[in-house]
PDB file of all heavy atoms in Angstrom:
ATOM      1  N   CYS S 223       0.847  -1.228   0.007  1.00  0.00           N
ATOM      2  CA  CYS S 223       0.009   0.014   0.018  1.00  0.00           C
ATOM      3  C   CYS S 223       0.909   1.332   0.033  1.00  0.00           C
ATOM      4  O   CYS S 223       0.576   2.242  -0.640  1.00  0.00           O
ATOM      5  CB  CYS S 223      -0.952  -0.031   1.196  1.00  0.00           C
ATOM      6  SG  CYS S 223      -2.252  -1.236   1.070  1.00  0.00           S
ATOM      7  N   LYS S 224       2.004   1.179   0.702  1.00  0.00           N
ATOM      8  CA  LYS S 224       2.869   2.349   0.712  1.00  0.00           C
ATOM      9  C   LYS S 224       3.397   2.645  -0.715  1.00  0.00           C
ATOM     10  O   LYS S 224       3.545   3.844  -1.147  1.00  0.00           O
ATOM     11  CB  LYS S 224       4.101   2.102   1.650  1.00  0.00           C
ATOM     12  CG  LYS S 224       4.934   3.384   1.821  1.00  0.00           C
ATOM     13  CD  LYS S 224       5.971   2.976   2.948  1.00  0.00           C
ATOM     14  CE  LYS S 224       6.893   4.217   3.110  1.00  0.00           C
ATOM     15  NZ  LYS S 224       7.888   3.945   4.193  1.00  0.00           N
ATOM     16  N   ARG S 225       3.741   1.590  -1.473  1.00  0.00           N
ATOM     17  CA  ARG S 225       4.227   1.810  -2.882  1.00  0.00           C
ATOM     18  C   ARG S 225       3.056   2.321  -3.673  1.00  0.00           C
ATOM     19  O   ARG S 225       3.286   3.286  -4.587  1.00  0.00           O
ATOM     20  CB  ARG S 225       4.705   0.491  -3.475  1.00  0.00           C
ATOM     21  CG  ARG S 225       6.083   0.084  -2.811  1.00  0.00           C
ATOM     22  CD  ARG S 225       6.636  -1.129  -3.522  1.00  0.00           C
ATOM     23  NE  ARG S 225       7.891  -1.584  -2.970  1.00  0.00           N
ATOM     24  CZ  ARG S 225       9.072  -1.067  -3.381  1.00  0.00           C
ATOM     25  NH1 ARG S 225       9.122  -0.100  -4.284  1.00  0.00           N
ATOM     26  NH2 ARG S 225      10.198  -1.458  -2.888  1.00  0.00           N
ATOM     27  N   ILE S 226       1.866   1.734  -3.605  1.00  0.00           N
ATOM     28  CA  ILE S 226       0.740   2.230  -4.391  1.00  0.00           C
ATOM     29  C   ILE S 226       0.420   3.669  -4.071  1.00  0.00           C
ATOM     30  O   ILE S 226       0.145   4.548  -4.930  1.00  0.00           O
ATOM     31  CB  ILE S 226      -0.453   1.318  -4.124  1.00  0.00           C
ATOM     32  CG1 ILE S 226      -0.173  -0.014  -4.779  1.00  0.00           C
ATOM     33  CG2 ILE S 226      -1.748   1.939  -4.845  1.00  0.00           C
ATOM     34  CD1 ILE S 226      -1.360  -1.046  -4.487  1.00  0.00           C
ATOM     35  N   LEU S 227       0.470   4.006  -2.781  1.00  0.00           N
ATOM     36  CA  LEU S 227       0.111   5.391  -2.337  1.00  0.00           C
ATOM     37  C   LEU S 227       0.932   6.453  -2.995  1.00  0.00           C
ATOM     38  O   LEU S 227       0.469   7.531  -3.479  1.00  0.00           O
ATOM     39  CB  LEU S 227       0.245   5.478  -0.833  1.00  0.00           C
ATOM     40  CG  LEU S 227       0.027   6.794  -0.183  1.00  0.00           C
ATOM     41  CD1 LEU S 227      -1.423   7.291  -0.484  1.00  0.00           C
ATOM     42  CD2 LEU S 227       0.347   6.806   1.299  1.00  0.00           C
ATOM     43  N   ALA S 228       2.327   6.163  -3.181  1.00  0.00           N
ATOM     44  CA  ALA S 228       3.151   7.089  -3.857  1.00  0.00           C
ATOM     45  C   ALA S 228       2.735   7.353  -5.356  1.00  0.00           C
ATOM     46  O   ALA S 228       2.743   8.492  -5.786  1.00  0.00           O
ATOM     47  CB  ALA S 228       4.629   6.639  -3.842  1.00  0.00           C
ATOM     48  N   ASP S 229       2.237   6.333  -5.945  1.00  0.00           N
ATOM     49  CA  ASP S 229       1.804   6.496  -7.368  1.00  0.00           C
ATOM     50  C   ASP S 229       0.480   7.234  -7.423  1.00  0.00           C
ATOM     51  O   ASP S 229       0.314   8.135  -8.203  1.00  0.00           O
ATOM     52  CB  ASP S 229       1.567   5.121  -8.064  1.00  0.00           C
ATOM     53  CG  ASP S 229       2.942   4.346  -8.198  1.00  0.00           C
ATOM     54  OD1 ASP S 229       3.961   4.962  -8.241  1.00  0.00           O
ATOM     55  OD2 ASP S 229       2.847   3.096  -8.348  1.00  0.00           O
ATOM     56  N   GLU S 230      -0.400   6.886  -6.503  1.00  0.00           N
ATOM     57  CA  GLU S 230      -1.758   7.575  -6.525  1.00  0.00           C
ATOM     58  C   GLU S 230      -1.670   9.008  -6.294  1.00  0.00           C
ATOM     59  O   GLU S 230      -2.452   9.783  -6.936  1.00  0.00           O
ATOM     60  CB  GLU S 230      -2.746   6.799  -5.422  1.00  0.00           C
ATOM     61  CG  GLU S 230      -2.915   5.383  -5.566  1.00  0.00           C
ATOM     62  CD  GLU S 230      -3.765   5.021  -6.795  1.00  0.00           C
ATOM     63  OE1 GLU S 230      -3.944   5.845  -7.674  1.00  0.00           O
ATOM     64  OE2 GLU S 230      -4.266   3.884  -6.828  1.00  0.00           O
ATOM     65  N   SER S 231      -0.792   9.408  -5.371  1.00  0.00           N
ATOM     66  CA  SER S 231      -0.601  10.916  -5.185  1.00  0.00           C
ATOM     67  C   SER S 231      -0.150  11.621  -6.375  1.00  0.00           C
ATOM     68  O   SER S 231      -0.621  12.714  -6.718  1.00  0.00           O
ATOM     69  CB  SER S 231       0.364  11.113  -4.035  1.00  0.00           C
ATOM     70  OG  SER S 231      -0.001  10.458  -2.867  1.00  0.00           O
ATOM     71  N   ARG S 232       0.654  10.955  -7.198  1.00  0.00           N
ATOM     72  CA  ARG S 232       1.132  11.584  -8.426  1.00  0.00           C
ATOM     73  C   ARG S 232      -0.104  11.661  -9.451  1.00  0.00           C
ATOM     74  O   ARG S 232      -0.213  12.623 -10.229  1.00  0.00           O
ATOM     75  CB  ARG S 232       2.251  10.700  -9.031  1.00  0.00           C
ATOM     76  CG  ARG S 232       2.998  11.270 -10.249  1.00  0.00           C
ATOM     77  CD  ARG S 232       4.206  10.471 -10.495  1.00  0.00           C
ATOM     78  NE  ARG S 232       3.899   9.074 -10.864  1.00  0.00           N
ATOM     79  CZ  ARG S 232       4.423   8.099 -10.109  1.00  0.00           C
ATOM     80  NH1 ARG S 232       5.089   8.275  -9.041  1.00  0.00           N
ATOM     81  NH2 ARG S 232       4.098   6.757 -10.514  1.00  0.00           N
ATOM     82  N   HIS S 233      -0.940  10.576  -9.446  1.00  0.00           N
ATOM     83  CA  HIS S 233      -2.051  10.549 -10.394  1.00  0.00           C
ATOM     84  C   HIS S 233      -3.006  11.683 -10.076  1.00  0.00           C
ATOM     85  O   HIS S 233      -3.571  12.313 -10.988  1.00  0.00           O
ATOM     86  CB  HIS S 233      -2.820   9.288 -10.319  1.00  0.00           C
ATOM     87  CG  HIS S 233      -1.874   8.039 -10.581  1.00  0.00           C
ATOM     88  ND1 HIS S 233      -2.279   6.745 -10.279  1.00  0.00           N
ATOM     89  CD2 HIS S 233      -0.743   7.977 -11.272  1.00  0.00           C
ATOM     90  CE1 HIS S 233      -1.309   5.958 -10.710  1.00  0.00           C
ATOM     91  NE2 HIS S 233      -0.341   6.684 -11.221  1.00  0.00           N
ATOM     92  N   MET S 234      -3.259  11.904  -8.791  1.00  0.00           N
ATOM     93  CA  MET S 234      -4.142  12.986  -8.381  1.00  0.00           C
ATOM     94  C   MET S 234      -3.595  14.290  -8.855  1.00  0.00           C
ATOM     95  O   MET S 234      -4.351  15.204  -9.221  1.00  0.00           O
ATOM     96  CB  MET S 234      -4.327  12.911  -6.843  1.00  0.00           C
ATOM     97  CG  MET S 234      -5.463  13.715  -6.330  1.00  0.00           C
ATOM     98  SD  MET S 234      -5.888  13.342  -4.616  1.00  0.00           S
ATOM     99  CE  MET S 234      -4.364  13.765  -3.823  1.00  0.00           C
ATOM    100  N   GLY S 235      -2.272  14.391  -8.833  1.00  0.00           N
ATOM    101  CA  GLY S 235      -1.659  15.649  -9.312  1.00  0.00           C
ATOM    102  C   GLY S 235      -1.919  15.994 -10.781  1.00  0.00           C
ATOM    103  O   GLY S 235      -1.974  17.149 -11.112  1.00  0.00           O
ATOM    104  N   PHE S 236      -2.100  14.951 -11.597  1.00  0.00           N
ATOM    105  CA  PHE S 236      -2.427  15.179 -12.959  1.00  0.00           C
ATOM    106  C   PHE S 236      -3.675  16.048 -13.162  1.00  0.00           C
ATOM    107  O   PHE S 236      -3.754  16.930 -13.980  1.00  0.00           O
ATOM    108  CB  PHE S 236      -2.550  13.861 -13.791  1.00  0.00           C
ATOM    109  CG  PHE S 236      -2.978  14.125 -15.170  1.00  0.00           C
ATOM    110  CD1 PHE S 236      -2.073  14.365 -16.203  1.00  0.00           C
ATOM    111  CD2 PHE S 236      -4.297  13.908 -15.566  1.00  0.00           C
ATOM    112  CE1 PHE S 236      -2.401  14.651 -17.466  1.00  0.00           C
ATOM    113  CE2 PHE S 236      -4.755  14.075 -16.822  1.00  0.00           C
ATOM    114  CZ  PHE S 236      -3.779  14.486 -17.795  1.00  0.00           C
ATOM    115  N   SER S 237      -4.650  15.701 -12.345  1.00  0.00           N
ATOM    116  CA  SER S 237      -5.934  16.432 -12.521  1.00  0.00           C
ATOM    117  C   SER S 237      -5.787  17.930 -12.041  1.00  0.00           C
ATOM    118  O   SER S 237      -6.337  18.844 -12.737  1.00  0.00           O
ATOM    119  CB  SER S 237      -7.084  15.818 -11.608  1.00  0.00           C
ATOM    120  OG  SER S 237      -6.762  15.861 -10.236  1.00  0.00           O
ATOM    121  N   ILE S 238      -4.992  18.199 -11.094  1.00  0.00           N
ATOM    122  CA  ILE S 238      -4.758  19.525 -10.537  1.00  0.00           C
ATOM    123  C   ILE S 238      -4.042  20.410 -11.592  1.00  0.00           C
ATOM    124  O   ILE S 238      -4.266  21.565 -11.731  1.00  0.00           O
ATOM    125  CB  ILE S 238      -3.956  19.538  -9.317  1.00  0.00           C
ATOM    126  CG1 ILE S 238      -4.615  18.604  -8.202  1.00  0.00           C
ATOM    127  CG2 ILE S 238      -3.784  20.868  -8.762  1.00  0.00           C
ATOM    128  CD1 ILE S 238      -6.012  19.020  -7.881  1.00  0.00           C
ATOM    129  N   LEU S 239      -3.150  19.762 -12.425  1.00  0.00           N
ATOM    130  CA  LEU S 239      -2.380  20.469 -13.386  1.00  0.00           C
ATOM    131  C   LEU S 239      -3.084  20.582 -14.716  1.00  0.00           C
ATOM    132  O   LEU S 239      -2.996  21.585 -15.460  1.00  0.00           O
ATOM    133  CB  LEU S 239      -1.026  19.736 -13.677  1.00  0.00           C
ATOM    134  CG  LEU S 239      -0.045  19.747 -12.490  1.00  0.00           C
ATOM    135  CD1 LEU S 239       1.164  18.923 -12.836  1.00  0.00           C
ATOM    136  CD2 LEU S 239       0.306  21.101 -12.131  1.00  0.00           C
ATOM    137  N   SER S 240      -3.912  19.604 -15.135  1.00  0.00           N
ATOM    138  CA  SER S 240      -4.519  19.571 -16.433  1.00  0.00           C
ATOM    139  C   SER S 240      -5.817  20.185 -16.519  1.00  0.00           C
ATOM    140  O   SER S 240      -6.334  20.625 -17.621  1.00  0.00           O
ATOM    141  CB  SER S 240      -4.521  18.157 -16.959  1.00  0.00           C
ATOM    142  OG  SER S 240      -5.392  17.342 -16.216  1.00  0.00           O
ATOM    143  N   LEU S 241      -6.629  20.214 -15.476  1.00  0.00           N
ATOM    144  CA  LEU S 241      -8.076  20.644 -15.543  1.00  0.00           C
ATOM    145  C   LEU S 241      -8.276  22.086 -15.474  1.00  0.00           C
ATOM    146  O   LEU S 241      -9.352  22.546 -16.117  1.00  0.00           O
ATOM    147  CB  LEU S 241      -8.867  19.888 -14.454  1.00  0.00           C
ATOM    148  CG  LEU S 241      -9.099  18.380 -14.685  1.00  0.00           C
ATOM    149  CD1 LEU S 241      -9.735  17.808 -13.452  1.00  0.00           C
ATOM    150  CD2 LEU S 241     -10.061  18.215 -15.935  1.00  0.00           C
ATOM    151  N   PRO S 242      -7.630  22.995 -14.765  1.00  0.00           N
ATOM    152  CA  PRO S 242      -8.071  24.354 -14.575  1.00  0.00           C
ATOM    153  C   PRO S 242      -8.343  25.062 -15.818  1.00  0.00           C
ATOM    154  O   PRO S 242      -9.383  25.762 -15.969  1.00  0.00           O
ATOM    155  CB  PRO S 242      -6.896  24.964 -13.781  1.00  0.00           C
ATOM    156  CG  PRO S 242      -6.348  23.826 -12.993  1.00  0.00           C
ATOM    157  CD  PRO S 242      -6.456  22.582 -13.913  1.00  0.00           C
ATOM    158  N   ASP S 243      -7.407  25.098 -16.833  1.00  0.00           N
ATOM    159  CA  ASP S 243      -7.615  25.743 -18.051  1.00  0.00           C
ATOM    160  C   ASP S 243      -8.755  25.214 -18.769  1.00  0.00           C
ATOM    161  O   ASP S 243      -9.566  25.978 -19.419  1.00  0.00           O
ATOM    162  CB  ASP S 243      -6.305  25.765 -18.867  1.00  0.00           C
ATOM    163  CG  ASP S 243      -5.228  26.596 -18.323  1.00  0.00           C
ATOM    164  OD1 ASP S 243      -5.457  27.471 -17.505  1.00  0.00           O
ATOM    165  OD2 ASP S 243      -4.148  26.442 -18.732  1.00  0.00           O
ATOM    166  N   GLU S 244      -8.943  23.892 -18.854  1.00  0.00           N
ATOM    167  CA  GLU S 244     -10.056  23.262 -19.540  1.00  0.00           C
ATOM    168  C   GLU S 244     -11.335  23.626 -18.944  1.00  0.00           C
ATOM    169  O   GLU S 244     -12.284  23.984 -19.690  1.00  0.00           O
ATOM    170  CB  GLU S 244      -9.880  21.746 -19.541  1.00  0.00           C
ATOM    171  CG  GLU S 244     -10.788  20.960 -20.339  1.00  0.00           C
ATOM    172  CD  GLU S 244     -10.667  21.078 -21.785  1.00  0.00           C
ATOM    173  OE1 GLU S 244      -9.604  21.553 -22.277  1.00  0.00           O
ATOM    174  OE2 GLU S 244     -11.613  20.729 -22.575  1.00  0.00           O
ATOM    175  N   ILE S 245     -11.467  23.566 -17.634  1.00  0.00           N
ATOM    176  CA  ILE S 245     -12.780  23.942 -16.960  1.00  0.00           C
ATOM    177  C   ILE S 245     -13.164  25.397 -17.198  1.00  0.00           C
ATOM    178  O   ILE S 245     -14.299  25.728 -17.513  1.00  0.00           O
ATOM    179  CB  ILE S 245     -12.694  23.573 -15.492  1.00  0.00           C
ATOM    180  CG1 ILE S 245     -12.669  22.017 -15.403  1.00  0.00           C
ATOM    181  CG2 ILE S 245     -13.939  24.151 -14.727  1.00  0.00           C
ATOM    182  CD1 ILE S 245     -12.491  21.524 -13.938  1.00  0.00           C
ATOM    183  N   ARG S 246     -12.113  26.321 -17.133  1.00  0.00           N
ATOM    184  CA  ARG S 246     -12.371  27.751 -17.372  1.00  0.00           C
ATOM    185  C   ARG S 246     -12.966  27.969 -18.782  1.00  0.00           C
ATOM    186  O   ARG S 246     -13.753  28.868 -18.963  1.00  0.00           O
ATOM    187  CB  ARG S 246     -11.159  28.524 -17.232  1.00  0.00           C
ATOM    188  CG  ARG S 246     -10.845  29.009 -15.764  1.00  0.00           C
ATOM    189  CD  ARG S 246      -9.787  30.054 -15.668  1.00  0.00           C
ATOM    190  NE  ARG S 246      -8.513  29.601 -16.170  1.00  0.00           N
ATOM    191  CZ  ARG S 246      -7.557  28.995 -15.480  1.00  0.00           C
ATOM    192  NH1 ARG S 246      -7.797  28.809 -14.126  1.00  0.00           N
ATOM    193  NH2 ARG S 246      -6.460  28.542 -15.959  1.00  0.00           N
ATOM    194  N   GLY S 247     -12.535  27.123 -19.760  1.00  0.00           N
ATOM    195  CA  GLY S 247     -12.939  27.321 -21.066  1.00  0.00           C
ATOM    196  C   GLY S 247     -14.237  26.576 -21.522  1.00  0.00           C
ATOM    197  O   GLY S 247     -14.664  26.693 -22.687  1.00  0.00           O
ATOM    198  N   LEU S 248     -14.857  25.845 -20.596  1.00  0.00           N
ATOM    199  CA  LEU S 248     -16.062  25.060 -20.958  1.00  0.00           C
ATOM    200  C   LEU S 248     -17.290  25.965 -21.243  1.00  0.00           C
ATOM    201  O   LEU S 248     -17.484  26.998 -20.514  1.00  0.00           O
ATOM    202  CB  LEU S 248     -16.462  24.154 -19.842  1.00  0.00           C
ATOM    203  CG  LEU S 248     -15.477  22.970 -19.530  1.00  0.00           C
ATOM    204  CD1 LEU S 248     -15.997  22.091 -18.423  1.00  0.00           C
ATOM    205  CD2 LEU S 248     -15.230  22.181 -20.689  1.00  0.00           C
ATOM    206  N   ASN S 249     -18.104  25.600 -22.157  1.00  0.00           N
ATOM    207  CA  ASN S 249     -19.328  26.344 -22.425  1.00  0.00           C
ATOM    208  C   ASN S 249     -20.358  25.936 -21.344  1.00  0.00           C
ATOM    209  O   ASN S 249     -20.116  24.982 -20.526  1.00  0.00           O
ATOM    210  CB  ASN S 249     -19.924  26.026 -23.804  1.00  0.00           C
ATOM    211  CG  ASN S 249     -20.215  24.623 -24.077  1.00  0.00           C
ATOM    212  OD1 ASN S 249     -20.770  23.961 -23.260  1.00  0.00           O
ATOM    213  ND2 ASN S 249     -19.795  24.082 -25.228  1.00  0.00           N
ATOM    214  N   ALA S 250     -21.381  26.575 -21.189  1.00  0.00           N
ATOM    215  CA  ALA S 250     -22.453  26.371 -20.207  1.00  0.00           C
ATOM    216  C   ALA S 250     -22.921  24.963 -20.140  1.00  0.00           C
ATOM    217  O   ALA S 250     -23.117  24.369 -19.126  1.00  0.00           O
ATOM    218  CB  ALA S 250     -23.590  27.388 -20.298  1.00  0.00           C
ATOM    219  N   GLY S 251     -23.138  24.439 -21.380  1.00  0.00           N
ATOM    220  CA  GLY S 251     -23.693  23.029 -21.340  1.00  0.00           C
ATOM    221  C   GLY S 251     -22.730  22.008 -20.905  1.00  0.00           C
ATOM    222  O   GLY S 251     -23.117  21.092 -20.088  1.00  0.00           O
ATOM    223  N   ASP S 252     -21.452  22.132 -21.397  1.00  0.00           N
ATOM    224  CA  ASP S 252     -20.416  21.167 -20.861  1.00  0.00           C
ATOM    225  C   ASP S 252     -20.218  21.303 -19.393  1.00  0.00           C
ATOM    226  O   ASP S 252     -19.982  20.323 -18.667  1.00  0.00           O
ATOM    227  CB  ASP S 252     -19.200  21.381 -21.685  1.00  0.00           C
ATOM    228  CG  ASP S 252     -19.146  20.729 -23.003  1.00  0.00           C
ATOM    229  OD1 ASP S 252     -19.982  19.785 -23.247  1.00  0.00           O
ATOM    230  OD2 ASP S 252     -18.299  21.141 -23.844  1.00  0.00           O
ATOM    231  N   LEU S 253     -20.205  22.533 -18.843  1.00  0.00           N
ATOM    232  CA  LEU S 253     -20.008  22.773 -17.421  1.00  0.00           C
ATOM    233  C   LEU S 253     -21.116  22.177 -16.684  1.00  0.00           C
ATOM    234  O   LEU S 253     -20.939  21.474 -15.576  1.00  0.00           O
ATOM    235  CB  LEU S 253     -19.826  24.196 -17.153  1.00  0.00           C
ATOM    236  CG  LEU S 253     -19.558  24.550 -15.672  1.00  0.00           C
ATOM    237  CD1 LEU S 253     -18.345  23.989 -15.147  1.00  0.00           C
ATOM    238  CD2 LEU S 253     -19.575  26.119 -15.500  1.00  0.00           C
ATOM    239  N   HIS S 254     -22.357  22.346 -17.112  1.00  0.00           N
ATOM    240  CA  HIS S 254     -23.454  21.721 -16.427  1.00  0.00           C
ATOM    241  C   HIS S 254     -23.427  20.234 -16.413  1.00  0.00           C
ATOM    242  O   HIS S 254     -23.657  19.576 -15.396  1.00  0.00           O
ATOM    243  CB  HIS S 254     -24.765  22.224 -17.095  1.00  0.00           C
ATOM    244  CG  HIS S 254     -26.012  22.062 -16.271  1.00  0.00           C
ATOM    245  ND1 HIS S 254     -26.702  20.821 -16.138  1.00  0.00           N
ATOM    246  CD2 HIS S 254     -26.677  22.913 -15.476  1.00  0.00           C
ATOM    247  CE1 HIS S 254     -27.692  21.025 -15.331  1.00  0.00           C
ATOM    248  NE2 HIS S 254     -27.732  22.211 -14.874  1.00  0.00           N
ATOM    249  N   GLU S 255     -23.031  19.588 -17.553  1.00  0.00           N
ATOM    250  CA  GLU S 255     -22.805  18.194 -17.569  1.00  0.00           C
ATOM    251  C   GLU S 255     -21.743  17.717 -16.612  1.00  0.00           C
ATOM    252  O   GLU S 255     -21.931  16.686 -15.937  1.00  0.00           O
ATOM    253  CB  GLU S 255     -22.458  17.765 -19.049  1.00  0.00           C
ATOM    254  CG  GLU S 255     -22.284  16.272 -19.141  1.00  0.00           C
ATOM    255  CD  GLU S 255     -21.774  15.828 -20.492  1.00  0.00           C
ATOM    256  OE1 GLU S 255     -21.533  16.778 -21.368  1.00  0.00           O
ATOM    257  OE2 GLU S 255     -21.612  14.598 -20.770  1.00  0.00           O
ATOM    258  N   LEU S 256     -20.672  18.368 -16.549  1.00  0.00           N
ATOM    259  CA  LEU S 256     -19.575  18.054 -15.642  1.00  0.00           C
ATOM    260  C   LEU S 256     -20.004  18.250 -14.212  1.00  0.00           C
ATOM    261  O   LEU S 256     -19.731  17.317 -13.378  1.00  0.00           O
ATOM    262  CB  LEU S 256     -18.309  18.983 -15.908  1.00  0.00           C
ATOM    263  CG  LEU S 256     -17.096  18.707 -14.992  1.00  0.00           C
ATOM    264  CD1 LEU S 256     -16.576  17.308 -15.165  1.00  0.00           C
ATOM    265  CD2 LEU S 256     -16.000  19.733 -15.297  1.00  0.00           C
ATOM    266  N   GLU S 257     -20.792  19.231 -13.815  1.00  0.00           N
ATOM    267  CA  GLU S 257     -21.236  19.343 -12.453  1.00  0.00           C
ATOM    268  C   GLU S 257     -22.241  18.227 -12.133  1.00  0.00           C
ATOM    269  O   GLU S 257     -22.168  17.715 -11.027  1.00  0.00           O
ATOM    270  CB  GLU S 257     -22.034  20.754 -12.325  1.00  0.00           C
ATOM    271  CG  GLU S 257     -21.028  21.956 -12.491  1.00  0.00           C
ATOM    272  CD  GLU S 257     -21.822  23.172 -12.594  1.00  0.00           C
ATOM    273  OE1 GLU S 257     -23.062  23.193 -12.876  1.00  0.00           O
ATOM    274  OE2 GLU S 257     -21.219  24.306 -12.474  1.00  0.00           O
ATOM    275  N   ASP S 258     -23.052  17.878 -13.031  1.00  0.00           N
ATOM    276  CA  ASP S 258     -24.004  16.748 -12.715  1.00  0.00           C
ATOM    277  C   ASP S 258     -23.200  15.475 -12.529  1.00  0.00           C
ATOM    278  O   ASP S 258     -23.517  14.666 -11.706  1.00  0.00           O
ATOM    279  CB  ASP S 258     -24.976  16.619 -13.943  1.00  0.00           C
ATOM    280  CG  ASP S 258     -26.107  17.662 -13.945  1.00  0.00           C
ATOM    281  OD1 ASP S 258     -26.236  18.365 -12.962  1.00  0.00           O
ATOM    282  OD2 ASP S 258     -26.823  17.819 -14.979  1.00  0.00           O
ATOM    283  N   PHE S 259     -22.197  15.249 -13.421  1.00  0.00           N
ATOM    284  CA  PHE S 259     -21.415  14.036 -13.299  1.00  0.00           C
ATOM    285  C   PHE S 259     -20.693  14.037 -11.889  1.00  0.00           C
ATOM    286  O   PHE S 259     -20.545  12.976 -11.252  1.00  0.00           O
ATOM    287  CB  PHE S 259     -20.456  13.919 -14.412  1.00  0.00           C
ATOM    288  CG  PHE S 259     -19.372  12.772 -14.139  1.00  0.00           C
ATOM    289  CD1 PHE S 259     -19.663  11.483 -14.167  1.00  0.00           C
ATOM    290  CD2 PHE S 259     -18.084  13.224 -13.818  1.00  0.00           C
ATOM    291  CE1 PHE S 259     -18.694  10.577 -13.930  1.00  0.00           C
ATOM    292  CE2 PHE S 259     -17.078  12.286 -13.575  1.00  0.00           C
ATOM    293  CZ  PHE S 259     -17.385  10.889 -13.570  1.00  0.00           C
ATOM    294  N   THR S 260     -20.206  15.228 -11.629  1.00  0.00           N
ATOM    295  CA  THR S 260     -19.430  15.258 -10.308  1.00  0.00           C
ATOM    296  C   THR S 260     -20.311  14.869  -9.149  1.00  0.00           C
ATOM    297  O   THR S 260     -19.930  14.180  -8.206  1.00  0.00           O
ATOM    298  CB  THR S 260     -18.861  16.750 -10.103  1.00  0.00           C
ATOM    299  OG1 THR S 260     -17.985  17.041 -11.183  1.00  0.00           O
ATOM    300  CG2 THR S 260     -18.070  16.821  -8.818  1.00  0.00           C
ATOM    301  N   ARG S 261     -21.565  15.280  -9.209  1.00  0.00           N
ATOM    302  CA  ARG S 261     -22.466  14.951  -8.127  1.00  0.00           C
ATOM    303  C   ARG S 261     -22.799  13.475  -8.020  1.00  0.00           C
ATOM    304  O   ARG S 261     -22.573  12.883  -6.961  1.00  0.00           O
ATOM    305  CB  ARG S 261     -23.850  15.744  -8.318  1.00  0.00           C
ATOM    306  CG  ARG S 261     -24.853  15.362  -7.218  1.00  0.00           C
ATOM    307  CD  ARG S 261     -26.073  16.169  -7.346  1.00  0.00           C
ATOM    308  NE  ARG S 261     -26.999  16.037  -6.270  1.00  0.00           N
ATOM    309  CZ  ARG S 261     -28.009  16.758  -5.968  1.00  0.00           C
ATOM    310  NH1 ARG S 261     -28.301  17.783  -6.746  1.00  0.00           N
ATOM    311  NH2 ARG S 261     -28.756  16.536  -4.868  1.00  0.00           N
ATOM    312  N   GLU S 262     -22.980  12.857  -9.212  1.00  0.00           N
ATOM    313  CA  GLU S 262     -23.183  11.449  -9.257  1.00  0.00           C
ATOM    314  C   GLU S 262     -21.915  10.652  -8.791  1.00  0.00           C
ATOM    315  O   GLU S 262     -22.070   9.732  -8.058  1.00  0.00           O
ATOM    316  CB  GLU S 262     -23.652  11.010 -10.607  1.00  0.00           C
ATOM    317  CG  GLU S 262     -23.892   9.579 -10.863  1.00  0.00           C
ATOM    318  CD  GLU S 262     -25.115   9.107 -10.081  1.00  0.00           C
ATOM    319  OE1 GLU S 262     -25.985   9.929  -9.629  1.00  0.00           O
ATOM    320  OE2 GLU S 262     -25.363   7.828 -10.002  1.00  0.00           O
TER     321      GLU S 262
END
């Protein structure tokens, strides 16, 4: 689990680096779909 944990922390970092610009540029429909999916 200690070995896996080190990898998982890196994976989580990908979302932090890759998503902000993409989410800022979403149109209203895509953002609404993403919000609905996030809730589910």
Side-chain angles (χ1 to χ4, degrees):
C223 290
K224 187 175 182 179
R225 289 184 177 277
I226 293 176
L227 177 61
D229 293 340
E230 300 289 16
S231 300
R232 191 170 59 242
H233 302 164
M234 195 165 60
F236 174 80
S237 64
I238 304 303
L239 295 176
S240 66
L241 285 172
D243 289 344
E244 185 71 15
I245 290 176
R246 273 194 298 270
L248 293 179
N249 61 45
D252 280 342
L253 180 59
H254 198 277
E255 180 185 1
L256 179 60
E257 292 168 348
D258 286 345
F259 167 72
T260 300
R261 178 175 191 164
E262 180 69 13

